[in-house]
Amino acid sequence: MTIQMKPDVEINTNYYKVLEIRNLTENTFVVTLPKSRFKFIAGQHISLSIEGDYQSREYSIYSAEEGQNLEILVKEVEGGYFSPKLKHLKKGDMVEVHGPFGKFGLDTKKQITHKHVFIASGTGIAPFHSMVKSYPNLDYQLIHGVRHMEEAYEKDHYDEDSYFLCTSRDKDGDFNGRVTDYIKQAEFDKNTAFYLCGNSDMIFDAMEILKDKGFDRDSVNVEVYF
């Protein structure tokens, strides 16, 4: 008879060392962690806290399902408590990760049969970056709404013909105006699956516009940031 002894020390696998903070703009950055044994589906999010801090925040996963690292995209909130602390993390600092959470992701029943249109505002692009990187043969169009051209976060990671930028505060994007203004005038194939991620105002407005264009609720997947 073999007796299995419990180890004296239980390893907490929720702690990760920061590998890199990659600055994309003055106030937007990517936190890179080792992926280790972490498994997720593109579109899901994690809960993140800093070692020794009592607060946590939820962030969509930015990296690919089979990527080497686990990444999140963060915008520093002016006067905020948590995001400035994340920005000032150094390589080797410890964070605690829980998850993955959520059911936002590609509609697997439509993955091959439909065009996938991703509509994002700001850092709401994060789960779509994960989806595109996870499924390189996906037939997609990404419509990204930001204020300024510099907020086209790592646009070179997407197919040039599949990324469309709407800028509301300058004319350097593909369309000058809000992302919802563009959707109103755009035409979409009837076999289209829509995915919305970003602030609640954009999402609710976009849902109404798509409804007016004849797309029912089953055609629209939603992830509300705030």
Side-chain angles (χ1 to χ4, degrees):
M1 182 175 68
T2 302
I3 300 176
Q4 292 184 343
M5 302 294 290
K6 291 184 178 180
D8 293 332
V9 178
E10 184 176 340
I11 299 174
N12 190 330
T13 56
N14 294 322
Y15 282 95
Y16 292 75
K17 285 186 177 181
V18 173
L19 295 178
E20 180 188 16
I21 301 293
R22 185 167 77 252
N23 292 304
L24 305 185
T25 69
E26 185 177 348
N27 57 10
T28 308
F29 54 95
V30 174
V31 179
T32 302
L33 309 171
K35 186 181 178 186
S36 188
R37 295 181 295 276
F38 194 89
K39 296 291 185 182
F40 65 92
I41 297 172
Q44 289 187 301
H45 62 273
I46 61 171
S47 175
L48 182 75
S49 58
I50 301 170
E51 185 180 31
D53 198 293
Y54 67 95
Q55 291 200 23
S56 63
R57 296 289 187 274
E58 294 183 343
Y59 295 98
S60 290
I61 298 169
Y62 188 67
S63 46
E65 291 177 357
E66 300 302 325
Q68 183 177 357
N69 298 314
L70 178 65
E71 294 187 329
I72 57 170
L73 176 66
V74 182
K75 183 171 184 178
E76 182 181 9
V77 178
E78 186 177 354
Y81 173 83
F82 196 78
S83 56
K85 288 193 171 187
L86 281 184
K87 186 178 182 182
H88 290 95
L89 289 174
K90 301 291 191 298
K91 182 178 180 179
D93 287 345
M94 300 293 290
V95 295
E96 187 173 358
V97 174
H98 290 276
F101 304 110
K103 296 181 179 180
F104 187 65
L106 285 177
D107 188 332
T108 54
K109 295 179 181 178
K110 300 176 180 178
Q111 188 168 333
I112 298 175
T113 59
H114 284 59
K115 174 97 172 183
H116 300 269
V117 173
F118 305 135
I119 302 172
S121 59
T123 55
I125 197 174
F128 303 138
H129 182 272
S130 180
M131 293 177 194
V132 169
K133 288 297 184 181
S134 298
Y135 302 94
N137 296 322
L138 191 68
D139 182 12
Y140 76 94
Q141 180 186 16
L142 173 55
I143 305 171
H144 189 198
V146 298
R147 293 183 178 184
H148 302 282
M149 175 68 178
E150 67 172 13
E151 297 168 286
Y153 309 124
E154 299 187 308
K155 63 176 294 186
D156 59 320
H157 287 196
Y158 308 96
D159 295 338
E160 185 176 354
D161 295 336
S162 300
Y163 179 88
F164 191 88
L165 183 67
C166 301
T167 51
S168 61
R169 300 288 180 87
D170 64 39
K171 298 182 179 181
D172 296 327
D174 300 301
F175 175 82
N176 177 221
R178 295 180 181 274
V179 65
T180 46
D181 295 331
Y182 173 72
I183 298 170
K184 287 178 183 177
Q185 65 180 48
E187 295 184 3
F188 301 103
D189 188 274
K190 65 177 182 178
N191 286 334
T192 298
F194 294 92
Y195 306 80
L196 313 178
C197 187
N199 69 76
S200 58
D201 289 341
M202 182 280 286
I203 286 177
F204 297 143
D205 289 347
M207 289 175 67
E208 285 299 314
I209 295 167
L210 294 175
K211 181 180 178 180
D212 291 342
K213 287 180 175 287
F215 295 99
D216 59 26
R217 188 64 182 84
D218 290 338
S219 300
V220 184
N221 302 276
V222 174
E223 180 86 327
V224 181
Y225 262 32
F226 50 85

